[in-house]
Amino acid sequence: MPCWYEGPLAAFDTETTGIDVEQDRIVSAALVVQSAPAAVPRISRWLVNPGVPVPEEAIAVHGLTQDLLNREGRWPAPVMEEVARALAAQTAADTPLVVMNAPFDLTLLDRELRRHRAKALADYLGFGSLCVLDPRVLDKHLDRYRKGRRTLADLCAHYEVVLSAAHDAAADAVAALEVVRALGRRFAARLDPLSPAELHTRQAVWHAAQARGLQSWFAQNGSDEAVDPAWPLRPELPAAA
């Protein structure tokens, strides 16, 4: 029986108008599904007209201009429905879902669904069976003393994975998936005994510990920036009184 990292995996990624998961919008998304390491991945892509201005800073990152999105992007409501149903199909098939820095992309998707469909991501996925593999959390736990940044580009360089077009949702998803496979092989002795479901549960604990460490570092350096320990999805903010 092959290990989970040699079996079917899916990967999800987005490009957005910014980094605020409560206010920013998705402008593109991709879901990559690969049945085995040597198999050609099946890629689904979505381009979204977010209905709000796209800041120049965001365009400089992903290259998706306002004019392009106005011409070729679809309205968010049907796209978010399609994306959620596509992720739900992978969850129903027990396919682990690779999401780099999962609290960002999954929380953004959740907020978009609430905004445009009046539903939460959990309404589609059923979090009881959700199984997320986050290469950022896994790498930080399994190789915690390695110095340096841990962006997707950094992880690709470290694990010798080709990143063909950084900040393209499909390319980033493919790369994240390959990083997880490479990470699994490198740390096979520690990961082989664990099922993806067990890893999902442990990553929530690992991420919380990593968040506490980062919060402490911020405090020591005079920053009041808050680090959310929730994983793989941030809880919805309470409505203002």
Side-chain angles (χ1 to χ4, degrees):
M1 179 71 68
C3 298
W4 57 264
Y5 49 83
E6 303 292 0
L9 291 176
F12 175 65
D13 190 72
T14 66
E15 296 300 328
T16 69
T17 60
I19 60 174
D20 184 341
V21 296
E22 302 299 337
Q23 300 297 328
D24 280 306
R25 310 298 175 89
I26 293 173
V27 295
S28 71
L31 177 66
V32 174
V33 182
Q34 188 182 44
S35 59
V40 176
R42 305 194 312 275
I43 301 177
S44 300
R45 295 178 174 88
W46 294 269
L47 193 64
V48 187
N49 181 342
V52 300
V54 183
E56 290 298 324
E57 295 86 349
I59 295 172
V61 172
H62 50 60
L64 300 174
T65 66
Q66 190 79 62
D67 181 62
L68 173 67
L69 296 172
N70 288 343
R71 285 186 291 106
E72 301 183 20
R74 297 168 56 205
W75 289 115
V79 172
M80 300 311 152
E81 178 80 13
E82 290 176 16
V83 170
R85 290 185 179 277
L87 297 187
Q90 298 307 312
T91 299
D94 293 325
T95 304
L97 182 65
V98 175
V99 189
M100 174 73 184
N101 192 18
F104 179 78
D105 293 85
L106 294 185
T107 303
L108 258 169
L109 176 58
D110 177 79
R111 301 319 190 244
E112 287 279 57
L113 287 165
R114 293 173 187 271
R115 185 177 293 121
H116 297 290
R117 306 300 296 181
K119 291 183 180 180
L121 182 57
D123 295 333
Y124 295 87
L125 302 188
F127 281 165
S129 57
L130 181 64
C131 181
V132 173
L133 299 172
D134 188 332
R136 185 170 181 267
V137 174
L138 291 169
D139 176 72
K140 288 182 72 174
H141 178 78
L142 294 165
D143 198 359
R144 68 182 68 184
Y145 299 114
R146 188 178 81 249
K147 295 181 179 180
R149 290 156 48 88
R150 305 196 192 221
T151 65
L152 179 59
D154 296 319
L155 296 186
C156 286
H158 182 71
Y159 290 100
E160 300 180 341
V161 168
V162 174
L163 178 55
S164 60
H167 300 297
D168 170 83
D172 285 355
V174 169
L177 188 152
E178 293 298 335
V179 165
V180 166
R181 292 200 190 279
L183 191 150
R185 295 178 190 119
R186 184 168 300 188
F187 296 99
R190 297 167 65 182
L191 294 178
D192 282 3
L194 301 173
S195 69
E198 290 171 324
L199 270 177
H200 177 96
T201 300
R202 295 193 184 200
Q203 283 170 103
V205 177
W206 297 342
H207 179 271
Q210 293 162 8
R212 289 193 298 270
L214 183 57
Q215 189 75 76
S216 176
W217 187 87
F218 281 150
Q220 291 171 11
N221 287 271
S223 172
D224 59 359
E225 183 174 349
V227 183
D228 197 318
W231 183 95
L233 177 75
R234 296 178 187 176
E236 184 183 18
L237 292 176

